[in-house]
DNA sequence: GATCCTTACGAACGGATGTTCGCGAGAACT
DNA sequence: AGTTCTCGCGAACATCCGTTCGTAAGGATC
């Protein structure tokens, strides 16, 4: 019972490629044609079998109401995250409001939502430089950030230095009336500045290192 | 022209939530009901507008032929990658053949394919321990690996140590007839073993660090 | 006011699509 | 041989669903 017939495998493959191509499921007649099956009822029969075996889910009476279930019967929830730019690149970074961002984002990455712990409005930046190397963040890494206004001492945050007109990723410490932005790199010195010169853009959530 | 009317925003949101819920696009009448619109032609009109603005793509004469386009008008190509287990966890890891892997994988992550440089059969492992800390790979990181049989000196590879029955992530060096597995951690010593005791499972491609 | 554009409404048309039913071939079992 | 189950075929049916057409309200322009 656990085994799939050749026709069922063929249908499953067709489902995957069709959805991968068009982003919506095929109709039964699409499957019929795509798999060279003579009758719609044969397709229906095999779809029922696939549903019995837990590989797909069907909504009755609904056109194209087919859903491929993931490896575990679950569908991974994915989030598209805009890569807004490079950090410490000399340009202010537009913080995405809670609104939908405009389509002017250069690039995006897609990750499962557990990679960002289901947080909302997460955005990403490319890291330039090795100022956070001791926190295991390298040049070229992509960091995921959560928008926030305030920060606690020791948080890794992206801050906009108004006087320099640039954004940088550092650990954040409040010291009296001043702010210390501490790189995680023993060869670099912290930046001291006033509280009203910094604008916190986001707090570090997670990071990704692309292949070299 | 770039602005979206309230109704168009509402439809777009409905599209997203419907697809997120059911995994197939809504019909025009689904949208009509979901957005409390009085006529199907109004839905059609606004869908045309959304298509003109490049936010969706429609297949004419096809039921539910709606596809949400990504931020840049492109659909991101995503890959589902199985997380096969934890590395250095004492268990041999089944290397995925080029066949479809069985549905017994515990967990998966979804990433854009440029995150793995379009490679095939990539799989992932959770890192236990800090033996690669100097290569900026921490405990808890997820590493993406590409199946391979051989390795070059200095490659970061996951190897199965047959005598210990465990898998570990180390840098690989061939030294005479022996193999040196070098941790990237100054407090740890390399493992020396014979070539026939190691079985290379995969080569390091990239890594991801979840939020703490 | 005249004209045009955008947005909206409601109904009807026709094609697309899931479902069902009768029929039959082949295999396994009694 | 008889029975049952699986798998497949073809056609018909009812509904689902995209499309189109006539109409109209509101705003902008001249």
């Amino acid at each position: 019972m656990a085994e799939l017939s050749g026709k069922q495998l063929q249908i499953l493959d067709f489902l995957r490629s069709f959805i991968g191509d068009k982003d919506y499921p095929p109709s039964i007649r699409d499957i019929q044609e795509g798999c060279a099956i003579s009758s719609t009822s044969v397709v229906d029969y095999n779809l029922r079998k696939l549903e019995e075996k837990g590989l797909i889910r069907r909504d009755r009476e609904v056109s194209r109401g087919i859903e491929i279930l993931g490896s575990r019967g679950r569908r991974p929830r994915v989030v598209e995250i805009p890569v807004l730019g490079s950090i410490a690149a000399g340009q202010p970074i537009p913080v995405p409001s809670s609104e939908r961002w405009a389509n002017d984002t250069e690039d995006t990455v897609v990750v499962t939502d557990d990679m960002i712990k289901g947080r909302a409005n997460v955005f990403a930046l490319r890291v330039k430089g090795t100022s956070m190397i001791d926190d295991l963040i390298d040049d070229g890494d992509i960091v995921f950030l959560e928008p926030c206004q305030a920060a606690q001492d020791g948080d890794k945050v992206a801050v906009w230095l108004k006087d320099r007109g640039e954004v940088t990723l550092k650990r954040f410490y409040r010291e009296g009336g001043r702010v210390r932005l501490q790189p995680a790199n023993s060869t670099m010195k912290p930046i001291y500045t006033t509280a009203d010169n910094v604008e916190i853009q986001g707090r570090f959530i997670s990071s990704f290192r692309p292949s070299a």
Side-chain angles (χ1 to χ4, degrees), chain A:
Chain A
M1 177 47 153
E3 287 312 306
L4 281 71
S5 76
K7 200 160 289 191
Q8 283 157 22
L9 268 181
Q10 191 187 5
I11 290 178
L12 209 51
D13 274 344
F14 180 77
L15 276 177
R16 279 192 238 276
S17 75
F18 191 100
I19 295 177
D21 185 32
K22 313 246 192 176
D23 242 30
Y24 52 78
S27 70
I28 284 190
R29 282 172 181 83
D30 287 335
I31 300 173
Q32 179 190 359
E33 193 173 350
C35 296
I37 293 173
S38 56
S39 170
T40 60
S41 61
V42 178
V43 179
D44 183 65
Y45 171 78
N46 284 291
L47 285 180
R48 279 176 198 275
K49 288 299 173 187
L50 286 173
E51 191 175 22
E52 280 174 17
K53 293 171 187 176
L55 293 170
I56 63 172
R57 197 177 62 77
R58 291 180 76 192
D59 277 3
R60 299 303 162 84
E61 316 262 338
V62 170
S63 73
R64 303 173 190 273
I66 303 175
E67 174 183 353
I68 299 187
L69 295 176
S71 329
R72 216 170 45 269
R74 262 274 203 72
R75 179 159 30 101
R77 220 164 257 292
V78 297
V79 189
E80 187 172 3
I81 294 173
V83 180
L84 294 181
S86 298
I87 203 165
Q91 292 167 352
I93 296 162
V95 179
S97 61
S98 60
E99 311 303 306
R100 56 216 98 256
W101 32 72
N103 343 3
D104 56 354
T105 40
E106 291 262 319
D107 204 358
T108 61
V109 294
V110 174
V111 298
T112 19
D113 73 343
D114 59 341
M115 282 174 122
I116 56 163
K117 292 284 193 290
R119 272 173 260 244
N121 298 320
V122 172
F123 60 100
L125 297 171
R126 284 198 186 76
V127 173
K128 297 294 174 195
T130 58
S131 70
M132 296 297 277
I133 196 83
D134 292 342
D135 278 338
L136 306 177
I137 299 171
D138 199 3
D139 181 85
D141 284 9
I142 291 175
V143 292
F144 297 90
L145 302 161
E146 169 185 40
C148 72
Q149 278 69 47
Q152 309 236 324
D153 276 8
D155 278 355
K156 292 189 281 276
V157 293
V159 297
W160 180 22
L161 295 169
K162 295 180 185 174
D163 59 352
R164 305 191 188 194
E166 73 177 37
V167 177
T168 186
L169 181 66
K170 296 283 184 300
R171 281 186 180 270
F172 181 93
Y173 295 93
R174 226 176 283 274
E175 295 191 340
R178 292 193 311 170
V179 166
R180 173 163 59 95
L181 298 174
Q182 180 69 49
N185 184 325
S186 52
T187 70
M188 294 185 181
K189 290 179 180 171
I191 297 172
Y192 292 96
T193 185
T194 56
D196 60 356
N197 186 43
V198 303
E199 191 168 289
I200 299 174
Q201 309 263 3
R203 189 200 339 256
F204 175 90
I205 295 177
S206 54
S207 66
F208 175 80
R209 175 154 39 251
S211 53

